[in-house]
Amino acid sequence: MRKTRATLYAVALLPALVLATPAAAHRTEVTTRDGALTPGQQRAADRYWTPDRMRMAGALVPEITPMPPDDNTPDDPTVPPADQPDPGAVWTHGGAVTTTVGRLFFTFSDGYDGSCTATSVRSPNRSTVVTAAHCFRGTGDPADADTWNHNVYFVPGYRNGSKPYGGFSVRVMFTSSRWDTGTDSSEVAVAGYDAGVAVVNPRADGRRLGDAVGSQEIAFQPPVSGEFVHAFGYPHVQSGTQWLGARMVHCAGAARPGPDAPLLFGMRCDMAHGASGGPHLVGFDPATGHGTIVGVTTTGSDLAGGPEERSYATRLGSAAKLLYDRAARR
């Protein structure tokens, strides 16, 4: 039977709990897992993620789910105001966000394919992405291979089954050891440990991710209630919304703590499964598509509360910085 992955929606979470004290950060360690290390493994990942397989990733019952259609919403060169709220719409305005954000594909231990969202971030190795921990594995013993997803693969700028900037197999994944401590990933996520970082391999022509598509800035700082935030993600065919994973979706608004999960900050947003791990950016400039990532999507109103559908993020604090620093040295 296929495993249930309930309220975390391939939408990200909040390492803000560890913002509390340096001592808390000291007790947090990093759990790692290797991915595609050899050239053969990297080529196998490139071959596995075909256009149709990417389109179907995340289907609850892929054997009977129709192939989702492409989304041909026309691009719009008109740049919206930076402070204009958006409860959810396909991003059609171009900019760096369309190259640095993409779908993160993986295969669960039960053999089904899924997807989240990830982002290329500035780092010394020019090969680092940030996403949600639950996009890499479930909670529990990291020595148990079945807790980890495999065949993990990042496609920046994914659109309608294509790899416009190539595909990047994941070389090594990093999650917080605090993610190991529970059997219920929802509870651990609410506690602020649903961030994940990975180092990706160069694409087939040898170019590193940052050289090929650029990167977004990243910051590890306490949240500010009411701060205006832009979120991006790829909600997919399982999401129960109008989105089918074909295009990147955008939301924007004033981020506030969740009534039932005060460590998670989010805004009104119609995104669901597949958006997990997507970036929450402050200082975002719609004209350039650049901003600073301060959180990753973890869940929606079903877990964190709120009067309407919202997208809540794990804020990137000291626990997430440990992951980033470890990845940046690889």
Side-chain angles (χ1 to χ4, degrees):
M1 177 181 293
R2 189 165 183 200
K3 298 176 183 177
T4 300
R5 294 165 179 87
T7 52
L8 299 181
Y9 52 74
V11 152
L13 188 91
L14 176 105
L17 185 66
V18 292
L19 293 171
T21 64
H26 180 73
R27 291 192 299 269
T28 301
E29 297 178 353
V30 177
T31 298
T32 67
R33 180 77 174 182
D34 289 337
L37 298 179
T38 70
Q41 291 170 332
Q42 295 162 29
R43 289 192 296 270
D46 283 328
R47 290 193 299 267
Y48 182 83
W49 292 110
T50 62
D52 284 354
R53 189 165 269 135
M54 291 189 294
R55 287 185 175 99
M56 289 298 297
L60 189 61
V61 187
E63 295 87 350
I64 61 173
T65 301
M67 184 70 66
D70 289 344
D71 184 328
N72 295 311
T73 304
D75 291 332
D76 181 1
T78 304
V79 178
D83 60 352
Q84 178 174 294
D86 183 354
V90 171
W91 181 257
T92 59
H93 308 292
V97 72
T98 62
T99 67
T100 54
V101 180
R103 283 185 79 175
L104 183 75
F105 297 96
F106 47 82
T107 303
F108 293 114
S109 61
D110 58 13
Y112 285 86
D113 295 329
S115 77
C116 282
T117 303
T119 308
S120 170
V121 294
R122 185 183 297 276
S123 71
N125 62 22
R126 308 191 302 283
S127 302
T128 299
V129 300
V130 64
T131 186
H134 74 265
C135 299
F136 290 151
R137 68 184 187 93
T139 52
D141 184 357
D144 180 356
D146 281 350
T147 67
W148 292 88
N149 300 332
H150 60 281
N151 205 23
V152 188
Y153 192 75
F154 179 54
V155 180
Y158 174 89
R159 182 165 173 167
N160 291 334
S162 71
K163 306 175 187 179
Y165 307 101
F168 297 80
S169 56
V170 166
R171 184 173 185 84
V172 59
M173 297 169 279
F174 303 86
T175 61
S176 170
S177 60
R178 300 297 181 91
W179 189 250
D180 308 343
T181 59
T183 57
D184 184 337
S185 59
S186 297
E187 292 179 0
V188 183
V190 167
Y193 299 103
D194 190 29
V197 179
V199 177
V200 299
N201 293 302
R203 68 184 183 190
D205 65 359
R207 293 198 75 190
R208 295 186 187 187
L209 175 67
D211 297 331
V213 304
S215 58
Q216 297 288 343
E217 300 295 333
I218 186 169
F220 307 92
Q221 60 195 39
V224 177
S225 184
E227 188 172 36
F228 201 87
V229 174
H230 292 256
F232 294 87
Y234 281 89
H236 56 51
V237 66
Q238 183 192 332
S239 68
T241 68
Q242 61 181 307
W243 316 118
L244 298 174
R247 297 280 294 276
M248 185 170 66
V249 175
H250 167 256
C251 293
R256 304 189 188 281
D260 301 328
L263 290 178
L264 306 185
F265 276 65
M267 78 293 287
R268 183 183 176 193
C269 180
D270 181 24
M271 280 199 272
H273 300 280
S276 289
H280 286 225
L281 302 109
V282 298
F284 180 73
D285 181 358
T288 65
H290 277 292
T292 299
I293 299 176
V294 294
V296 291
T297 299
T298 289
T299 191
S301 299
D302 52 351
L303 179 61
E308 70 278 303
E309 185 54 47
R310 301 176 75 83
S311 175
Y312 288 98
T314 292
R315 288 290 296 225
L316 303 180
S318 54
K321 191 172 189 305
L322 287 177
L323 309 181
Y324 171 83
D325 288 345
R326 181 71 64 86
R329 296 196 296 268
R330 297 293 288 267

